[in-house]
Amino acid sequence: MKCKQIVIPEFGEPEVLALQDVKIPTPNEGEVLVKVAFASVNPIDVKTRAGLGWAAAENKDNLPWVPGYDISGHVIENGQKATRFAIKDKVAGFIGFPLRGGAYSQYVCVPESELTPVPNSVTLEAAAALPLAGQTAAQAINKAEVKEGDRVLILAGAGGVGHIAVQIALAAKAEVYTTCSEANLDYLATLGAHAINYQFSPASERLSDVDVLIDLVGGDVALDALKCLSDGARVITIPTMSAPLVCDKAQLLGFSAEGMLVDPSAKQLETLLYMVSVGLLKVEIQKIFALDDVVDAHRQIETGRTRGKVLLDMQC
Ligand SMILES: NC(=O)c1ccc[n+]([C@@H]2O[C@H](COP(=O)([O-])OP(=O)(O)OC[C@H]3O[C@@H](n4cnc5c(N)ncnc54)[C@H](OP(=O)(O)O)[C@@H]3O)[C@@H](O)[C@H]2O)c1
């Protein structure tokens, strides 16, 4: 039996993405075969397709390569010694990070340790949106040791990582400030954050005495936000390309500052899915594209203006 997958045959514009028919794979020992319902699209997929960043450098001799790290779907076959899941179980995972990828596939074999059961009350859409972005948000908030009463500034609170980071910081009882365009002010205020319109004036003209900066934008925007910080503030800067610049400047100013690379954890995904199941976390999905429309999905992420997440429907 055949299935479809999306590959990067060469680096370039979104149009290089190609659909190919392949044989449905057979799980090896310790793996399960997942029928993928939804895959999410992350900025790293888009940058890698364009030949930018470390994931592209690592995979340049490995093309054609199937991108994507976030899946939700159903277990349909267990390999030998794979015992965690029953056939038809609903699962999600942050798979193959950083080199194997493979989420943009209708069927994919995955080590069972990379998967997490999805509670009945959580949709497969929300489950696919969470792994990479949700864990980046959770790990950034943990690394910054956000605690009750901290004044936390999150740059780009409306994005895939940002909207989860805002909610986790609020759940920790921090006072949360976040930057966004005018179009997202109401959305972020509804989540409970103080939303600052960066199109009107930079954050540094509107805010001071910030204890924690979670930077999801990088570059000059992050450098400006350093002016909002109080003595002893902690900075976590997420975009890898500008992390050395932002960390150097922050440390020069006397703040503690670190970059970060998200580290997949099936256990942490379980916690995030639990938070969704009890209503502590709301996953925002801007649009679900059919698998055939993956070029448009990549173009949407390239706008830099996505609210929440973009998904691929892998079965239509
Ligand atoms: N190091 C890691 O492990 C790691 C992991 C995940 C992500 N990342 C990186 O982190 C960054 C964020 O990822 P993401 O998935 O959240 O991206 P995303 O979903 O594509 O972010 C889009 C959001 O960015 C906002 N935005 C754009 N320019 C802004 C600005 N100048 N100020 C404030 N908000 C702005 C937009 O809001 P408006 O429309 O309101 O402008 C939009 O909602 C990306 O660079 C990504 O590559 C790194």
Side-chain angles (χ1 to χ4, degrees):
M1 276 247 303
K2 297 252 178 187
C3 67
K4 288 185 197 167
Q5 56 182 204
I6 296 159
V7 291
I8 301 174
E10 57 181 319
F11 296 137
E13 296 297 313
E15 289 71 18
V16 299
L17 291 165
L19 272 176
Q20 67 179 24
D21 284 329
V22 291
K23 210 168 145 266
I24 295 179
T26 305
N28 290 322
E29 188 174 303
E31 289 184 340
V32 300
L33 175 62
V34 179
K35 181 177 185 187
V36 180
F38 298 97
S40 100
V41 181
N42 287 291
I44 188 172
D45 307 346
V46 170
K47 287 175 196 167
T48 305
R49 187 221 68 233
L52 303 172
W54 56 270
E58 293 288 333
N59 281 306
K60 68 178 185 343
D61 300 322
N62 200 17
L63 305 180
W65 184 70
V66 182
Y69 301 109
D70 290 338
I71 59 163
S72 68
H74 294 95
V75 170
I76 59 161
E77 190 180 340
N78 277 311
Q80 280 187 5
K81 297 194 180 159
T83 52
R84 278 185 66 211
F85 299 101
I87 305 306
K88 293 194 182 157
D89 274 1
K90 242 167 100 177
V91 290
F94 183 178
I95 66 163
F97 187 77
L99 295 182
R100 205 180 70 237
Y104 291 14
S105 306
Q106 288 188 315
Y107 291 82
V108 66
C109 288
V110 183
E112 62 174 358
S113 57
E114 292 185 2
L115 295 173
T116 303
V118 177
N120 279 338
S121 56
V122 178
T123 64
L124 285 171
E125 288 88 336
L130 266 183
L132 191 153
Q135 290 189 49
T136 305
Q139 289 169 26
I141 298 291
N142 288 346
K143 239 183 198 312
E145 298 179 3
V146 170
K147 57 183 188 311
E148 183 169 355
D150 275 344
R151 284 164 64 83
V152 176
L153 170 59
I154 297 173
L155 302 179
V161 179
H163 82 292
I164 305 291
V166 163
Q167 294 176 73
I168 296 175
L170 285 164
K173 299 199 167 73
E175 194 172 340
V176 179
Y177 297 83
T178 188
T179 54
C180 62
S181 63
E182 185 168 356
N184 284 316
L185 286 171
D186 286 350
Y187 165 63
L188 287 164
T190 308
L191 291 182
H194 304 280
I196 298 170
N197 179 355
Y198 66 81
Q199 294 169 316
F200 185 68
S201 59
S204 61
E205 290 178 20
R206 309 274 297 281
L207 195 59
S208 59
D209 297 323
V210 166
D211 303 302
V212 171
L213 171 64
I214 306 290
D215 163 34
L216 296 166
V217 178
D220 289 343
V221 172
L223 297 181
D224 169 75
L226 297 177
K227 297 178 195 157
C228 304
L229 304 186
S230 62
D231 290 349
R234 290 99 71 195
V235 177
I236 305 294
T237 179
I238 309 292
T240 47
M241 290 201 221
S242 63
L245 169 82
V246 176
C247 287
D248 283 355
K249 179 73 183 191
Q251 284 160 2
L252 209 64
L253 293 169
F255 308 123
S256 74
E258 299 180 62
M260 182 196 115
L261 187 61
V262 62
D263 186 15
S265 154
K267 196 81 203 147
Q268 187 174 46
L269 182 57
E270 196 174 328
T271 306
L272 291 167
L273 288 165
Y274 172 76
M275 287 175 76
V276 174
S277 75
V278 296
L280 269 174
L281 196 57
K282 292 190 184 69
V283 177
E284 180 75 15
I285 294 169
Q286 168 148 343
K287 189 162 176 181
I288 302 176
F289 292 86
L291 134 103
D292 289 351
D293 295 330
V294 63
V295 169
D296 295 330
H298 271 224
R299 281 211 197 94
Q300 171 58 43
I301 293 292
E302 280 182 343
T303 64
R305 309 307 296 274
T306 301
R307 178 192 288 178
K309 296 290 299 174
V310 160
L311 301 186
L312 296 172
D313 182 339
M314 299 305 294
Q315 297 299 328
C316 75

